[in-house]
Amino acid sequence: MLTINPIISNIRNINLLRPQQNKVLQQPKQNYPNLKPLAHDCVSFTSSKKLNRSLLEAFDNKEICIDVHKNADVAEADLKKTLKNSLEDLIATEENPTGPISTITTRIKTPNSIREKVASELSHAITSNDQSGVFNPNSRTSIKKVCGDIVGARIILGNQEQKQTGKIIDELIDLVLNGELNIEGIASYRPEKLDPKWEYFEKDDLKRLVDAVNESRKIKGKAPIELKEEAKKTGYMALHLDIDLADYEYKAKNNGYKGEIQIVGQDISRLKEVEDFCYKIRFDKDIKSGHVAYAPFTKYFTKHINDEKYPKLADDFVEYTKRAYMYQRKKEPDGIFDKRKRRDISLPTIEQCHMNGKIPSELDFNVLSKIKYHCDKLYDLTNDETV
């Protein structure tokens, strides 16, 4: 049993636990026994997905999340301008064929995604018994504080030669020291036992970035940060930068946002889009807040990942994923821009990853990608986002 702080235990008193009519979720009506009036100031949940769904229905914060989405446009625009001005000369073109960057994009989480993240963060605080982590999901300030990636940027690498990617680090360091980029955390994700030659960045370059960040933080009286290095069993690799987008010149409604910059190879990113769905299903998480458009993908994957003819399928699928990421890493651009060169957009097959007989053909990433594609189209047609 888990004692919940007053924000949660008093929910019933402020009439927030009544299921709301919510067009965003578009889910069949369900019974949620955990949402019945609480007899005590405590509650227990056995499923994180069940708790997330309960919280999504319990809190009518749709309009608030729409506002949070809308008001992030100023911070997103400034981040886009900052990165473009600094990194534009590093984008690969015919005139600059060895540039280390393929594309730079920015985005703002949709209102639905913000709601989902809020429910997830609150669910984690409740189930981990972290009283200090519980927050008011109807507070714009609290939402911006706990959701660290409402604004996001993705730098897709073109030339992954480390002498070229080091130029990206040089520019990021300049931005930090000039006060144009406020980095709060740096995480390097990579496969286990990765040969250093396949790293996107040299360790010395990452150390230089950390040192620059800490030099800037020291001036501001902030505690130093350390490089977080995490070996992913799935084989995913990327560099993630947590950033603070606060600016004293912003209006209050536009201020207080946090963001994330992802630096990743093009082919790794393409596989990640499909693999992320598989990960969510395997760990009992919803796709797009449980939107009905993704029910076919969820049903299909669940059916075949539990194929009794493959008793070690759970572990073997992780191994397939790990090999697929490494396959993608090795086929990524060779560092010479050529618009005439046709890119191989297929994903690693079971055969290419030497997993024949261990993975059913229905779970080949290319098959899953096709199903995802059609679900995405259905989502675009049926999603009722107002922003």
Side-chain angles (χ1 to χ4, degrees):
M1 300 293 282
L2 174 63
T3 301
I4 307 301
N5 83 352
I7 291 178
I8 300 300
S9 62
N10 291 330
I11 288 174
R12 64 186 186 279
N13 296 326
I14 59 176
N15 204 30
L16 286 177
L17 279 182
R18 250 182 306 185
Q20 304 290 330
Q21 294 296 323
N22 195 322
K23 295 181 180 180
V24 175
L25 298 179
Q26 295 291 313
Q27 293 178 337
K29 187 174 181 180
Q30 302 180 41
N31 293 320
Y32 293 95
N34 288 321
L35 290 181
K36 293 178 181 179
L38 304 179
H40 306 284
D41 288 341
C42 57
V43 63
S44 63
F45 293 89
T46 58
S47 167
S48 60
K49 180 191 285 187
K50 192 174 185 179
L51 176 54
N52 285 0
R53 287 177 176 172
S54 300
L55 291 171
L56 278 170
E57 290 205 2
F59 296 102
D60 185 17
N61 60 358
K62 177 182 176 182
E63 293 300 322
I64 293 171
C65 290
I66 289 176
D67 284 347
V68 171
H69 167 90
K70 286 181 177 179
N71 294 330
D73 60 346
V74 176
E76 188 260 351
D78 278 353
L79 176 61
K80 183 177 182 178
K81 181 179 178 180
T82 296
L83 294 178
K84 179 180 178 181
N85 290 345
S86 177
L87 302 174
E88 190 171 30
D89 290 343
L90 300 181
I91 297 176
T93 62
E94 289 185 359
E95 293 73 27
N96 180 28
T98 60
I101 297 176
S102 176
T103 59
I104 301 174
T105 59
T106 58
R107 60 101 184 109
I108 302 173
K109 270 187 178 295
T110 66
N112 278 354
S113 294
I114 294 173
R115 290 192 76 233
E116 188 177 63
K117 185 66 177 286
V118 168
S120 177
E121 292 294 328
L122 189 55
S123 170
H124 174 73
I126 292 172
T127 56
S128 65
N129 201 21
D130 180 10
Q131 297 290 313
S132 64
V134 179
F135 60 94
N136 183 356
N138 286 321
S139 164
R140 292 165 178 79
T141 300
S142 295
I143 290 173
K144 289 188 282 188
K145 182 178 179 180
V146 301
C147 297
D149 60 347
I150 291 177
V151 177
R154 179 169 291 183
I155 299 173
I156 300 295
L157 297 173
N159 183 348
Q160 284 116 45
E161 294 178 1
Q162 292 176 347
K163 66 179 181 179
Q164 294 294 331
T165 59
K167 296 177 182 179
I168 299 175
I169 299 297
D170 291 338
E171 294 298 330
L172 292 175
I173 288 174
D174 285 345
L175 289 175
V176 168
L177 297 180
N178 291 333
E180 298 177 73
L181 188 65
N182 190 357
I183 296 178
E184 296 285 314
I186 304 175
S188 176
Y189 300 106
R190 64 190 189 282
E192 298 173 313
K193 300 178 182 179
L194 179 67
D195 188 322
K197 74 177 183 179
W198 295 113
E199 297 271 10
Y200 285 136
F201 300 94
E202 290 187 358
K203 292 190 180 297
D204 287 345
D205 285 334
L206 294 180
K207 183 179 183 304
R208 289 193 300 114
L209 179 58
V210 171
D211 289 344
V213 170
N214 286 333
E215 181 180 337
S216 175
R217 292 176 67 82
K218 184 177 181 180
I219 295 174
K220 299 174 184 176
K222 295 184 177 181
I225 66 169
E226 294 183 356
L227 173 65
K228 175 185 175 182
E229 296 183 283
E230 183 176 337
K232 290 287 190 179
K233 290 184 178 180
T234 60
Y236 173 69
M237 62 184 301
L239 184 69
H240 288 196
L241 308 177
D242 296 326
I243 55 177
D244 184 351
L245 297 169
D247 191 313
Y248 71 92
E249 294 185 351
Y250 290 166
K251 294 179 181 179
K253 67 178 183 178
N254 302 122
N255 211 353
Y257 285 92
K258 298 179 181 180
E260 180 184 66
I261 299 174
Q262 297 179 2
I263 307 177
V264 62
Q266 185 172 358
D267 294 293
I268 292 286
S269 178
R270 186 176 291 113
L271 174 59
K272 177 65 174 174
E273 292 179 4
V274 181
E275 187 268 323
D276 190 52
F277 278 18
C278 302
Y279 172 86
K280 286 184 176 181
I281 296 170
R282 289 174 52 236
F283 287 90
D284 199 33
K285 297 177 182 291
D286 280 325
I287 298 174
K288 300 285 188 181
S289 303
H291 195 283
V292 67
Y294 293 98
F297 188 101
T298 300
K299 182 178 180 180
Y300 179 89
F301 183 83
T302 301
K303 173 184 176 181
H304 293 292
I305 198 66
N306 291 304
D307 192 330
E308 295 181 354
K309 292 183 291 185
Y310 300 84
K312 298 181 180 180
L313 185 53
D315 291 335
D316 285 339
F317 189 79
V318 173
E319 180 64 22
Y320 172 38
T321 303
K322 180 169 66 174
R323 295 186 186 187
Y325 271 123
M326 199 64 232
Y327 190 96
Q328 291 292 84
R329 176 64 185 93
K330 291 180 177 180
K331 83 173 186 182
E332 283 179 327
D334 57 11
I336 301 297
F337 176 85
D338 185 351
K339 68 178 183 179
R340 297 166 299 180
K341 184 177 180 181
R342 188 167 185 173
R343 298 280 298 134
D344 177 12
I345 62 173
S346 65
L347 297 177
T349 65
I350 294 171
E351 183 178 3
Q352 287 170 330
C353 293
H354 307 290
M355 297 296 291
N356 304 62
K358 297 182 178 181
I359 307 289
S361 60
E362 291 85 356
L363 294 182
D364 188 290
F365 279 121
N366 292 282
V367 176
L368 296 175
S369 179
K370 290 178 181 178
I371 298 173
K372 177 183 178 297
Y373 171 82
H374 291 291
C375 290
D376 288 340
K377 292 297 183 183
L378 180 59
Y379 178 78
D380 291 340
L381 289 171
T382 59
N383 180 35
D384 64 350
E385 291 270 21
T386 59
V387 179

